[in-house]
Amino acid sequence: MNKDNKKQIMITVISIVLLIGIGIAIFFIIKNNNNDDKTLAYTDLIKEMSYGNIEKIEMTVGSTNVKVKVKNEEEEKKSIVPNTEAFIELVQSKVAEGNEIELIQKPKSPIAQIGSGLVSFLPTLIMIALFVMIYKMQGLGEKGKVYDETERKTKIKFDDVAGLDEEKEELIEIVDFLKRPEKFTRMGAKIPKGVLLYGKPGTGKTLIAKAIAGEADVPFISMSGSEFIEMFAGLGASRVRKLFEKARKMAPCIVFIDEIDAIGSRRTSNSGAETENNQTLNQLLVEMDGFSSEETIIVLAATNRPEMLDGALLRPGRFDRQITVPAPDLKGRLEILKIHSKDKKISEDVNLESIAEDTAGFTGAELANILNEAAIIATKNKHDDIEEIDIEEAIKKVTVGLEKKTRKYSDKDKRLTAFHEAGHAVVSRYLPTQTNVKEISIIPRGVAGGYTMYKSDDDKYYISKTEMKEKLVALLGGRAAEKLVLDDISTGASNDIEVATGIARDMVTKYGMSDDLGPIDFQGKEPYEIQMFGENIGDKIGAEVKMLIDEAYRNAMNLLIEHRDKLDLIAETLIKQEKINEAQFNEMFED
Ligand code: ADP
Ligand code: MG
Ligand code: ZN
């Protein structure tokens, strides 16, 4: 066989392989497109899971694509998880907490299985896999959810968004522009191309974006930032290009990019994944600069980590308008509760106002979820309609997890939990800025062995340094009590410690509350940026955080030593009756 012949055969073999690859790829595209209308962003999946809204998760070993079934939704949704093993662990921990999630782990797809048997074909298989992946990914450009198709435009209107009156007012202008662009352009008015919505998860960013599309009656094309990443170099960028290609065809329309921080975090000059991110981000900037203001495309983006965003995104002509979407205030919460109770059978005795008062700090998503849970609990309790106790139970379920009366406790654990919770309660009682105790319980709920519930705080815009310091003391009261009474400490305080550390860090790096470091924002900065303020500034930040925590722990300990009689009384009562309510608690302090 001469050299040319060999080459010929090689080329033929490669061609055949490619054809097979393309065939398989087409098969996958068709297969995927059939059930691919719905995707669930990863963060939303986590959110829904923590609310107990996920019924079933189906995954193929080794694949980051999972199928999920959300409660009360007919169709299964697809989601992409960043790391399958970590995800499986997470799901299993949720199951251990009492969540009823059916986790199905299917074996690898046949192709992959054949692959493991036929190692000699490995290079070929890699090629096929490559093709499949490339085709799938290019197909992903099609994944932007289009609620268009004329008959399926989003029906959500501003009326479905409760509270957020000022935000809606700002956004009405955009609705107007999408409806009657000529009115604006004739005046020479420049309409923002991009609007960035800031706010923590569940505050209604996606909802309000959809409402804009609904009000303007234009298509809503959405994609999540996390869907752009974790792929081959250049593909993230190509998906951005496809997304905008499609938007141009559909204009006037809304493009919604959820979790934009996933692609839009500060560009760095490094290698690997970051370079890939940079390319995606650059493409997004190019696209946004590319369309003229006559093309009626409005790009809305959402993030809960604004400090992570690259400054280039915020320049004029890009996301030059930023709107903060806050957690609802009292009035907002009441409105949200009203909207979400419309389709539910709620008893006339239920006072939504008092529920709104009890839920300061809750997001719209959490409130909606509470009403859902209440409906489920009412059904379980065989009530005719949803009663106040069902809602109260739902609030506890959403905040601390489900009560587990059956979990067996050793006497030692019970005693430990009783003193831990009594520690929180006693310490808070003697701290002027901390709100009153509403209920203490040592019946396990979710992952928590027990809990101390406080009366809801008023809505506050500002929190003072004193208040934050006292919050730290209250949080560390549990651990201090363990140490004081049992002279041993447990893992039960890990969440308290996590929260306390977060607060202390924010005090120093975000709110400028450290006398030594002064009012400088260190948060989300790269080490070199922080170094600008001094060589050992990182050490100083750490030392300041530690000082706050140490001081709070000492204060908690001192309060408990001083009021040891109360600590013992409450803990012993808890061991006997497992729960203490507000009235009982206050009685114990009447001398
Ligand atoms: P985000 O995108 O900010 O994480 P979403 O818009 O996805 O939050 O909100 C999730 C759900 O929570 C919504 O579908 C809606 O049911 C409820 N919700 C959140 N905010 C509001 C609000 N302001 N009014 C009514 N419902 C809300
Ligand atoms: Mg969202
Ligand atoms: Zn605790």
Side-chain angles (χ1 to χ4, degrees):
M1 214 184 279
N2 67 31
K3 226 177 157 191
D4 261 7
N5 252 343
K6 253 187 180 169
K7 217 172 161 186
Q8 275 278 294
I9 293 171
M10 279 264 284
I11 289 171
T12 320
V13 168
I14 291 174
S15 308
I16 292 171
V17 164
L18 289 189
L19 278 174
I20 295 173
I22 291 167
I24 292 171
I26 290 172
F27 168 76
F28 267 91
I29 291 166
I30 293 170
K31 186 170 164 266
N32 277 328
N33 275 358
N34 280 345
N35 52 11
D36 205 25
D37 311 347
K38 296 235 167 127
T39 59
L40 188 63
Y42 181 62
T43 49
D44 287 335
L45 170 58
I46 298 297
K47 208 158 73 184
E48 295 292 349
M49 200 156 70
S50 65
Y51 294 153
N53 279 350
I54 302 292
E55 264 173 24
K56 191 171 96 178
I57 296 174
E58 196 178 309
M59 55 199 308
T60 305
V61 175
S63 160
T64 50
N65 287 312
V66 301
K67 271 198 254 168
V68 293
K69 168 84 174 62
V70 183
K71 254 182 215 163
N72 304 327
E73 280 182 22
E74 288 212 339
E75 269 175 275
E76 287 188 346
K77 289 188 170 176
K78 270 185 74 168
S79 189
I80 299 174
V81 301
N83 175 333
T84 42
E85 266 157 43
F87 182 71
I88 292 173
E89 265 176 36
L90 182 73
V91 176
Q92 282 167 344
S93 76
K94 292 279 169 198
V95 172
E97 280 168 32
N99 266 304
E100 286 166 14
I101 304 174
E102 191 186 346
L103 177 64
I104 301 171
Q105 295 182 54
K106 291 203 300 195
K108 283 185 184 144
S109 69
I111 297 175
Q113 268 179 347
I114 294 168
S116 58
L118 303 172
V119 183
S120 51
F121 278 110
L122 209 57
T124 319
L125 287 165
I126 289 172
M127 290 246 316
I128 295 177
L130 255 158
F131 263 88
V132 172
M133 284 167 97
I134 288 170
Y135 273 83
K136 271 182 87 172
M137 270 154 203
Q138 289 187 339
L140 287 179
E142 252 43 74
K143 251 175 114 181
K145 288 160 261 175
V146 185
Y147 292 96
D148 168 48
E149 287 143 29
T150 355
E151 71 281 356
R152 269 190 71 193
K153 280 186 181 156
T154 159
K155 290 209 180 67
I156 294 168
K157 293 278 159 64
F158 274 161
D159 276 348
D160 299 309
V161 186
L164 302 177
D165 293 333
E166 284 154 44
E167 290 74 15
K168 280 194 259 183
E169 207 157 289
E170 250 193 285
L171 293 165
I172 266 195
E173 193 182 301
I174 290 174
V175 173
D176 229 25
F177 172 64
L178 287 164
K179 274 184 172 160
R180 285 179 295 274
E182 46 327 311
K183 191 175 109 187
F184 288 84
T185 42
R186 193 151 32 93
M187 286 287 179
K190 281 226 165 54
I191 291 299
K193 282 183 186 172
V195 181
L196 201 53
L197 303 170
Y198 291 154
K200 62 175 180 170
T203 45
K205 298 181 294 297
T206 310
L207 187 71
I208 209 167
K210 281 186 187 166
I212 296 172
E215 288 282 339
D217 201 27
V218 300
F220 180 78
I221 306 173
S222 86
M223 199 143 174
S224 167
S226 59
E227 288 171 51
F228 285 111
I229 49 169
E230 45 104 28
M231 36 193 57
F232 292 124
L235 276 168
S238 108
R239 289 175 73 189
V240 171
R241 202 166 49 237
K242 286 233 163 72
L243 184 72
F244 280 87
E245 236 166 58
K246 182 155 137 198
R248 287 208 175 82
K249 278 189 212 135
M250 296 201 164
C253 68
I254 296 252
V255 174
F256 179 63
I257 304 175
D258 208 354
E259 303 179 56
I260 193 169
D261 45 281
I263 42 171
S265 18
R266 284 147 202 275
R267 281 173 293 187
T268 44
S269 49
N270 285 322
S271 57
E274 279 168 343
T275 317
E276 164 60 6
N277 250 356
N278 292 353
Q279 283 182 20
T280 312
L281 175 57
N282 286 339
Q283 188 63 38
L284 179 62
L285 297 176
V286 166
E287 295 292 343
M288 289 197 68
D289 293 343
F291 61 82
S292 65
S293 51
E294 281 96 75
E295 273 173 299
T296 29
I297 300 171
I298 304 264
V299 188
L300 295 169
T303 179
N304 52 353
R305 299 151 76 194
E307 72 284 352
M308 298 287 293
L309 292 182
D310 194 293
L313 275 171
L314 308 179
R315 289 212 192 105
R318 294 166 184 170
F319 292 100
D320 46 8
R321 222 181 264 199
Q322 289 120 41
I323 295 182
T324 313
V325 183
D329 59 7
L330 178 63
K331 181 171 154 279
R333 291 197 299 276
L334 181 58
E335 280 176 33
I336 293 172
L337 288 168
K338 278 184 183 158
I339 284 189
H340 289 279
S341 55
K342 262 188 205 147
D343 56 349
K344 298 196 175 60
K345 211 174 149 211
I346 295 199
S347 157
E348 280 178 15
D349 304 332
V350 170
N351 181 354
L352 288 182
E353 270 107 44
S354 84
I355 293 162
E357 274 165 21
D358 275 351
T359 46
F362 281 55
T363 62
E366 284 165 333
L367 292 171
N369 189 245
I370 283 170
L371 290 178
N372 252 333
E373 287 296 339
I376 295 168
I377 291 166
T379 317
K380 274 191 194 155
N381 290 345
K382 301 200 168 64
H383 294 161
D384 285 338
D385 37 25
I386 300 169
E387 292 172 21
E388 193 121 4
I389 47 166
D390 301 321
I391 300 183
E392 270 169 20
E393 179 63 24
I395 293 176
K396 284 183 214 163
K397 181 174 173 191
V398 169
T399 44
V400 247
L402 206 57
E403 204 164 77
K404 291 197 192 99
K405 291 213 169 93
T406 52
R407 193 159 92 188
K408 285 275 174 291
Y409 245 155
S410 71
D411 283 349
K412 192 165 155 266
D413 282 353
K414 194 167 178 179
R415 195 173 149 75
L416 179 97
T417 313
F419 274 98
H420 178 104
E421 296 308 328
H424 284 304
V426 170
V427 165
S428 324
R429 168 76 203 205
Y430 292 103
L431 296 167
T433 67
Q434 297 304 295
T435 44
N436 294 335
V437 169
K438 191 171 174 182
E439 186 175 285
I440 320 169
S441 160
I442 56 164
I443 300 172
R445 245 178 206 283
V447 274
Y451 61 87
T452 302
M453 233 170 42
Y454 298 94
K455 287 185 54 163
S456 155
D457 230 332
D458 304 333
D459 293 300
K460 277 194 213 130
Y461 283 104
Y462 304 112
I463 306 176
S464 71
K465 181 173 173 183
T466 313
E467 201 173 336
M468 288 180 108
K469 283 173 103 172
E470 293 192 354
K471 178 90 201 164
L472 295 180
V473 181
L475 279 164
L476 297 175
R479 163 55 66 90
E482 292 178 23
K483 176 78 185 139
L484 177 66
V485 180
L486 309 165
D487 194 27
D488 194 7
I489 48 181
S490 77
T491 53
S494 68
N495 186 254
D496 298 334
I497 292 171
E498 188 184 328
V499 176
T501 311
I503 292 176
R505 198 188 45 226
D506 280 354
M507 288 174 74
V508 175
T509 63
K510 186 172 175 183
Y511 301 120
M513 287 176 176
S514 147
D515 293 332
D516 194 17
L517 293 163
I520 298 175
D521 169 26
F522 296 106
Q523 208 145 70
K525 301 270 192 296
E526 302 284 336
Y528 73 89
E529 290 173 292
I530 290 179
Q531 255 187 28
M532 195 168 78
F533 300 102
E535 270 296 308
N536 303 320
I537 208 84
D539 299 347
K540 269 197 190 160
I541 292 174
E544 286 286 289
V545 172
K546 184 167 182 331
M547 205 176 75
L548 282 169
I549 297 282
D550 288 348
E551 188 189 308
Y553 185 70
R554 264 199 317 275
N555 287 341
M557 190 58 97
N558 289 339
L559 277 171
L560 291 175
I561 292 170
E562 191 182 336
H563 302 285
R564 177 67 194 259
D565 53 331
K566 302 292 182 202
L567 177 68
D568 290 340
L569 174 65
I570 288 163
E572 296 303 342
T573 313
L574 276 172
I575 293 170
K576 250 183 272 150
Q577 62 182 48
E578 298 195 329
K579 261 189 199 185
I580 296 177
N581 66 23
E582 187 180 348
Q584 253 183 322
F585 179 76
N586 290 334
E587 221 171 84
M588 293 180 183
F589 288 86
E590 278 166 17
D591 286 319

